[in-house]
């Protein structure tokens, strides 16, 4: 079972990913389960924001992790394995989206595998609204929003992962957030006229 | 470098809303076994491929080594038979002459053989 995503601070989480990847390098494929449990949910939600389809996102995550299991030395000289892993998944997700041409805007969330605890049932509606709104963003803006808010990375770190300047990352974030705010407001108006 | 945006209050609310939706989506249950199985399969394939190429390299090396041994043995036998021919001219004088490709040398060799044979007969 994959670990909840918000247990650690970003630094702590990155350190745990480093430990897992060190273990993967030392032990081999048998240590992949540990890395999967630690990162899968985060990687899937990041890739889902990019591909706009959870099945494609999971395929991208699977390809990246399987490749990593076969070539753990890829992480040997990497300063931040978590950033590297995010970049690997991003590359796979973009390649998959290009191949399948599924990058069309879709507000249907039927493909999503969701989890909503009983005490959070009232939040389900707003969660769905957020994911619907996120899907309407261009992938370049959606990925920055995901990395900034859910992964709590700085614009410098985001810029490194996406190979853009921190200023570009910041401006994409601003554009993305403005669009999300207006779309969420519209959705709220539709629900409560 | 911009590391904090000058966003207005409503954007902070949106940010909080998005943050709370972070754990809404999670990996499907079959992803873990799928990933682990594929990774194991790929590692096994990689190991088999590596073993195949290692075996191929060993076979190639053995082949080359054997052929060089055979070649060396052949050339040693050739040299031995050449020496033997010169040592006992009565046994194979014609072959020695025939081995030389140059006609003039063949003639010299035949003449030498003939002289040696005559000397041998005279000694008897």
């Amino acid at each position: 079972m994959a670990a909840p995503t918000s247990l650690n601070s970003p630094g702590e989480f990155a350190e745990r990913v480093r430990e897992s990847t060190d273990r993967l390098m030392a032990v081999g494929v048998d240590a992949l389960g540990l890395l999967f449990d630690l990162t899968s949910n985060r990687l899937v939600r990041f890739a889902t924001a990019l591909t706009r389809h959870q099945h494609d996102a999971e395929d991208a995550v699977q390809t990246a992790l399987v490749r990593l299991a076969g070539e753990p030395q890829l992480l040997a000289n990497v300063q931040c394995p978590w950033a590297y892993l995010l970049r690997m998944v991003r590359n796979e997700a973009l390649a998959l989206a290009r191949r399948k041409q599924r990058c069309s805007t879709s507000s249907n969330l039927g493909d999503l595998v969701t989890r909503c605890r009983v005490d959070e049932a009232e939040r389900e509606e707003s969660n769905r609204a957020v994911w619907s709104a996120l899907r309407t963003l261009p992938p370049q803006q959606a990925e920055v929003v995901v990395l900034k808010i859910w992964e709590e990375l700085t614009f410098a770190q985001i810029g490194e992962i996406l190979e853009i300047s921190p200023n570009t990352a910041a401006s994409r974030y601003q554009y993305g957030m403005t669009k999300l705010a207006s779309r969420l407001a519209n959705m709220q108006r539709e629900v409560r006229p | 470098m911009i590391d904090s945006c000058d966003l207005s209050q409503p954007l902070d609310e949106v940010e909080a809303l998005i943050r709370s939706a972070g754990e809404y989506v999670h990996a499907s249950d079959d992803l873990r076994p799928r990933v682990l199985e594929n990774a194991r399969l790929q590692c096994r394939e990689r190991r088999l491929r590596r073993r195949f190429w290692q075996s191929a390299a060993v076979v190639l090396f053995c082949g080359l080594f054997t052929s060089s041994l055979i070649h060396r043995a052949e050339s040693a036998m050739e040299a031995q038979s050449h020496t033997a021919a010169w040592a006992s001219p009565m046994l194979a004088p014609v072959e020695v002459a025939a081995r030389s490709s140059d006609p003039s040398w063949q003639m010299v060799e035949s003449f030498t053989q003939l002289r040696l044979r005559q000397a041998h007969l005279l000694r008897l």
Side-chain angles (χ1 to χ4, degrees):
Chain A
M1 179 74 196
T5 49
S6 62
L7 281 177
N8 319 103
S9 70
E12 227 178 295
F13 179 76
E15 196 46 47
R16 284 183 66 190
V17 173
R18 176 178 289 285
E19 282 167 18
S20 299
T21 52
D22 286 348
R23 207 169 146 70
L24 186 68
M25 273 191 277
V27 179
V29 71
D30 292 334
L32 186 65
L34 193 70
L35 184 66
F36 180 92
D37 292 341
L38 191 62
T39 59
S40 60
N41 282 343
R42 289 171 181 253
L43 292 175
V44 165
R45 78 180 173 196
F46 174 55
T48 305
L50 274 171
T51 59
R52 298 171 180 185
H53 202 279
Q54 183 155 351
H55 298 154
D56 291 348
E58 292 193 350
D59 285 348
V61 171
Q62 179 180 331
T63 310
L65 287 178
V66 168
R67 188 172 164 222
L68 196 63
E71 301 171 71
Q73 69 277 8
L74 285 173
L75 297 166
N77 298 316
V78 172
Q79 205 182 355
C80 180
W82 174 229
Y84 190 83
L85 198 52
L86 281 170
R87 197 191 290 186
M88 276 180 85
V89 169
R90 177 180 183 261
N91 291 342
E92 294 296 340
L94 291 178
L96 209 71
R98 259 198 303 274
R99 271 203 302 274
K100 294 198 174 178
Q101 296 290 311
R102 263 193 191 155
C103 252
S104 55
T105 306
S106 156
S107 57
N108 178 15
L109 301 179
D111 60 289
L112 292 184
V113 179
T114 58
R115 177 174 52 201
C116 198
R117 290 199 294 264
V118 180
D119 56 329
E120 289 178 344
E122 73 277 4
R123 262 204 256 157
E124 166 109 32
E125 200 182 308
S126 73
N127 289 343
R128 292 187 74 80
V130 166
W131 273 94
S132 294
L134 199 61
R135 285 196 167 182
T136 64
L137 286 187
Q140 293 89 343
Q141 290 170 10
E143 63 186 354
V144 176
V145 169
V146 169
L147 292 175
K148 180 69 184 160
I149 298 181
W150 288 335
E151 298 310 327
E152 297 176 45
L153 299 177
T154 63
F155 287 124
Q157 289 168 323
I158 294 171
E160 223 169 279
I161 292 169
L162 307 183
E163 292 169 319
I164 54 175
S165 74
N167 286 342
T168 309
S171 79
R172 282 183 189 176
Y173 177 73
Q174 233 165 341
Y175 280 122
M177 287 301 288
T178 312
K179 283 182 195 167
L180 281 176
S182 90
R183 274 158 209 178
L184 285 169
N186 285 344
M187 282 178 197
Q188 213 167 10
R189 245 175 272 136
E190 281 168 24
V191 173
R192 296 172 202 160
Chain B
M1 189 180 75
I2 304 168
D3 207 52
S4 59
C5 295
D6 184 23
L7 297 170
S8 53
Q9 185 61 26
L11 288 191
D12 287 343
E13 281 172 23
V14 173
E15 216 177 273
L17 202 63
I18 295 169
R19 191 166 286 120
S20 69
E23 285 180 43
Y24 184 59
V25 169
H26 65 107
S28 58
D29 292 336
D30 68 329
L31 184 62
R32 191 180 199 273
R34 226 166 64 198
V35 168
L36 297 185
E37 195 184 318
N38 270 299
R40 288 209 179 96
L41 208 70
Q42 203 204 42
C43 280
R44 206 175 305 143
E45 268 174 27
R46 199 180 286 257
R47 210 177 308 134
L48 280 174
R49 217 176 300 139
R50 204 184 311 133
R51 275 194 198 152
F52 170 78
W53 285 115
Q54 279 171 351
S55 314
V58 167
V59 167
L60 187 72
F61 175 76
C62 287
L64 285 173
F65 185 69
T66 314
S67 74
S68 85
L69 274 183
I70 289 169
H71 182 72
R72 209 175 292 173
E74 270 176 1
S75 56
M77 273 168 62
E78 200 176 305
Q80 216 173 4
S81 64
H82 192 72
T83 318
W86 277 102
S88 58
M90 287 300 288
L91 294 174
V94 183
E95 286 89 334
V96 173
R99 257 182 224 131
S100 177
S101 55
D102 191 353
S104 55
W105 272 110
Q106 275 180 352
M107 197 179 285
V108 170
E109 276 174 346
S110 304
F111 188 70
T112 313
Q113 298 301 321
L114 182 67
R115 291 296 300 272
L116 281 168
R117 212 181 306 163
Q118 283 172 346
H120 188 70
L121 285 171
L122 283 172
R123 241 182 275 140
L124 289 173

